[in-house]
Amino acid sequence: LDFRNYPYSYKIVLYNETPGHVFPIENPMVASSVFLNILPDDNKLTLEVQKNTPWIDSIYVVYKRNPVTYEFDSIGITQELEYVDSGLVNGQSYFYNLKNISYYTEPGFIFPIINYSQKNSGIPKDTVPPCAPEIMLESFCEEYVNILTWEYPECGDDVIRYKIYYSPFYYNEPVLIDSINDPFLYTYQHHPETSMAGCYYVTAVDSFSNESVPSKKICLDLCKYYELPNIFTPNNDGINDLFIPITPDSIYTKFVTKINLRIYNRWGQPVSDIITEPVINWDGKDVNNKKILPDGVYYYICDVYEYHLLGEGARTIVGFIHLYGQRNELNE
């Protein structure tokens, strides 16, 4: 029988075997072996007694194998069904067995009753995750980077890495985008692909792969990139001949999905088509007669479609354009 993995119960019954009249003389109670179950924890093992016996337990003597002599030495006694051996090294094997000293209250029984458990081993391991880090988040719009910072978690002395989770939208669950394998590096730089808006949280992972609960989710939506100039000189000299955004095209084509731009004269009449391409490239010609517009002040209304925390949406920018076109030369 394999006493290491399963407890066993026993019952001894005496029978009267008179021919034609066989019957049990008595129906005694079941008695089990003392089974030692070992539960691992962080730097400790809990020895758990499992048994089903009719006698009264007095004490349990706990034995642990000496790693030098390989003999089992007593390390403590208890009247409880659990005994905690602490101060152990995680990942190292420890071997135990128990001696149970018990008795019956009625006379006529052996005293004391001695039972031994099977010899069993356990390996302590850390099952408790560290605390979640407390994080801070800043957007540096000109550098196109979001920077996360945090401190070493207050609980958990064996953190070995941090996991970075991100979602570009508020209502989406952040997903893992990176890991930092230096427990003393408390910053992370993220260059988003489609929008500087986004939500982040960080978790801490210890040496036994226990991962903390997520930190508090932090979201930012601060950066606005699409800007239009207020002076425009369509005079065919190769400088500032087209009305285009101030923002570098590598940025606005990355973060802006489309625009809806219309330019008006001082009387509120449209002088341009509706422009949807972020690059614009308007040449200053009146949509009505295809000639360069007179020098003067014009104004625009532009809906800029970008990705925000709540998804794709428009923000409206309005402004004035000072047009200097030297129209007399160009319109001849």
Side-chain angles (χ1 to χ4, degrees):
L1 298 177
D2 187 355
F3 293 97
R4 295 170 299 175
N5 297 322
Y6 303 100
Y8 289 87
S9 296
Y10 306 88
K11 182 167 74 170
I12 299 176
V13 182
L14 300 178
Y15 284 85
N16 180 351
E17 294 191 344
T18 302
H21 191 57
V22 178
F23 61 91
I25 298 173
E26 235 182 283
N27 188 20
M29 290 182 285
V30 172
S32 71
S33 61
V34 177
F35 184 75
L36 174 60
N37 189 38
I38 300 179
L39 306 176
D41 208 335
D42 186 17
N43 299 118
K44 64 184 179 182
L45 293 169
T46 299
L47 280 59
E48 183 182 72
V49 177
Q50 297 180 1
K51 51 94 181 179
N52 178 24
T53 56
W55 47 74
I56 298 173
D57 294 327
S58 176
I59 60 171
Y60 296 93
V61 182
V62 182
Y63 293 87
K64 181 165 71 172
R65 192 177 73 178
N66 188 305
V68 177
T69 65
Y70 286 89
E71 298 292 330
F72 280 82
D73 300 327
S74 62
I75 61 170
I77 61 174
T78 181
Q79 293 180 309
E80 307 298 327
L81 295 179
E82 287 188 353
Y83 180 87
V84 178
D85 190 18
S86 58
L88 307 179
V89 178
N90 286 336
Q92 181 174 315
S93 294
Y94 297 87
F95 293 82
Y96 303 86
N97 77 326
L98 299 177
K99 179 169 71 174
N100 175 218
I101 302 174
S102 53
Y103 59 92
Y104 280 107
T105 55
E106 293 84 359
F109 292 94
I110 188 172
F111 180 87
I113 301 171
I114 305 295
N115 281 294
Y116 285 89
S117 73
Q118 88 283 18
K119 295 175 182 178
N120 201 1
S121 65
I123 301 175
K125 64 178 182 179
D126 186 358
T127 59
V128 180
C131 298
E134 294 186 9
I135 67 171
M136 294 180 292
L137 175 63
E138 289 184 274
S139 284
F140 293 86
C141 300
E142 293 184 1
E143 289 80 17
Y144 318 113
V145 62
N146 291 332
I147 297 183
L148 283 160
T149 56
W150 59 89
E151 296 181 354
Y152 195 92
E154 293 183 359
C155 62
D157 57 1
D158 59 343
V159 172
I160 61 170
R161 73 173 58 90
Y162 304 99
K163 291 185 175 182
I164 315 298
Y165 293 80
Y166 161 77
S167 170
F169 304 118
Y170 181 81
Y171 292 110
N172 289 6
E173 182 67 19
V175 298
L176 180 66
I177 59 169
D178 209 346
S179 294
I180 296 177
N181 294 324
D182 183 348
F184 303 108
L185 181 62
Y186 309 127
T187 184
Y188 180 77
Q189 298 187 11
H190 183 221
H191 299 270
E193 294 183 358
T194 58
S195 170
M196 293 295 291
C199 298
Y200 298 82
Y201 64 68
V202 178
T203 63
V205 182
D206 66 18
S207 57
F208 282 82
S209 298
N210 299 306
E211 184 174 0
S212 73
V213 298
S215 67
K216 182 180 179 181
K217 184 171 74 171
I218 297 182
C219 305
L220 282 181
D221 190 1
L222 302 177
C223 300
K224 305 293 186 290
Y225 289 111
Y226 198 76
E227 293 184 78
L228 299 178
N230 58 10
I231 296 178
F232 172 42
T233 59
N235 56 9
N236 220 15
D237 65 353
I239 301 173
N240 199 23
D241 287 331
L242 295 174
F243 184 69
I244 61 175
I246 299 174
T247 312
D249 59 357
S250 61
I251 299 304
Y252 67 70
T253 55
K254 178 178 181 179
F255 292 116
V256 176
T257 59
K258 67 178 180 179
I259 66 169
N260 193 328
L261 170 68
R262 198 74 183 262
I263 302 169
Y264 302 86
N265 62 22
R266 69 181 68 183
W267 298 281
Q269 298 167 331
V271 295
S272 75
D273 288 319
I274 295 176
I275 301 170
T276 58
E277 291 297 324
V279 69
I280 301 178
N281 281 332
W282 182 52
D283 58 7
K285 291 182 180 179
D286 191 332
V287 68
N288 302 298
N289 58 25
K290 308 304 180 184
K291 294 183 178 182
I292 295 294
L293 288 163
D295 289 358
V297 177
Y298 299 82
Y299 74 93
Y300 61 83
I301 300 175
C302 183
D303 295 325
V304 181
Y305 289 82
E306 305 158 303
Y307 285 109
H308 305 277
L309 282 176
L310 300 181
E312 186 182 18
R315 64 182 175 94
T316 301
I317 56 176
V318 296
F320 294 93
I321 307 169
H322 294 261
L323 188 149
Y324 302 99
Q326 298 182 10
R327 64 185 185 281
N328 292 331
E329 296 180 13
L330 293 175
N331 289 338
E332 291 179 354

